[in-house]
């Protein structure tokens, strides 16, 4: 499995956004990008994380930074999630091949109650305007995370 490292460029992988449009990550080069991976729409931790990023959307925009959340949920489920919580974010869906999650090393083996399964590692990546990875957060704890990412983005 390939995984991205500090200094690497945005991988050439595609996501389907909540409006059903398809984008390739290199299309975001030219301005800073925050890409955050989360396990599932409408679960407590994921909802809080999305609400935190959404609450700071204006500040990210003022800093010239795009924020994009990614999970395995479908675009239709993303639309319901956005509407339910009045989110001000872009949400993308990785395809059935997990190409985006795999490129970031965010599709990992997890364990619950002694059973192993594959799932999403809550993680965030900050890319500079030139498309290179400048910061990553793995095994993210939600509380205060969006603020920390905003501070790092402002420091670019």
């Amino acid at each position: 499995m390939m995984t991205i490292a500090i200094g690497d460029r945005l991988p050439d992988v595609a996501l389907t956004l909540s409006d059903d449009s398809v984008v390739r990550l290199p299309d975001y080069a030219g301005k800073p990008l925050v890409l955050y991976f989360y396990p599932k729409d409408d679960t407590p931790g994921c909802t809080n994380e999305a609400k935190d990023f959404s609450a700071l959307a204006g500040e990210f925009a003022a800093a010239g930074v795009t924020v994009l959340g990614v999970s395995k949920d479908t675009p239709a489920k993303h639309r319901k999630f956005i509407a339910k919580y009045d989110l001000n974010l872009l949400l993308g869906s990785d395809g059935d091949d997990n190409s985006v999650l795999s490129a970031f090393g965010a599709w990992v083996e997890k364990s619950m109650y002694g059973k192993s399964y594959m799932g999403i590692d809550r993680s965030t990546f900050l890319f500079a305007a030139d498309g290179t990875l400048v910061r990553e957060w793995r095994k993210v704890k939600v509380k205060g995370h969006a603020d920390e990412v905003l501070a790092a983005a402002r420091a670019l």
Side-chain angles (χ1 to χ4, degrees), residues 19-136:
D19 65 1
D20 290 320
S21 64
V22 176
V23 295
R24 300 199 79 71
L25 290 184
D27 295 344
Y28 288 98
K31 67 189 242 182
L33 172 68
V34 170
L35 191 64
Y36 80 93
F37 293 93
Y38 65 98
K40 193 167 182 56
D41 288 345
D42 216 6
T43 57
C46 298
T47 298
N48 287 334
E49 186 175 27
K51 288 165 90 174
D52 290 349
F53 274 112
S54 186
L56 296 173
E59 294 182 56
F60 278 105
V65 179
T66 299
V67 176
L68 177 58
V70 179
S71 77
K72 298 268 313 148
D73 292 308
T74 64
K77 190 158 186 216
H78 284 330
R79 286 191 292 275
K80 288 179 185 174
F81 184 50
I82 290 166
K84 181 175 182 177
Y85 295 101
D86 196 26
L87 300 174
N88 187 18
L89 317 160
L90 291 171
L91 296 179
S93 299
D94 196 358
D96 291 335
D97 65 357
N98 301 325
S99 60
V100 179
L101 291 162
S102 295
F104 286 86
W107 187 244
V108 298
E109 186 172 326
K110 295 177 149 192
S111 175
M112 185 183 298
Y113 306 119
K115 291 191 173 204
S116 293
Y117 64 97
M118 295 302 289
I120 296 175
D121 176 38
R122 188 183 308 276
S123 48
T124 302
F125 302 85
L126 174 61
F127 290 87
D130 67 359
T132 59
L133 181 63
V134 294
R135 183 91 189 263
E136 67 179 354

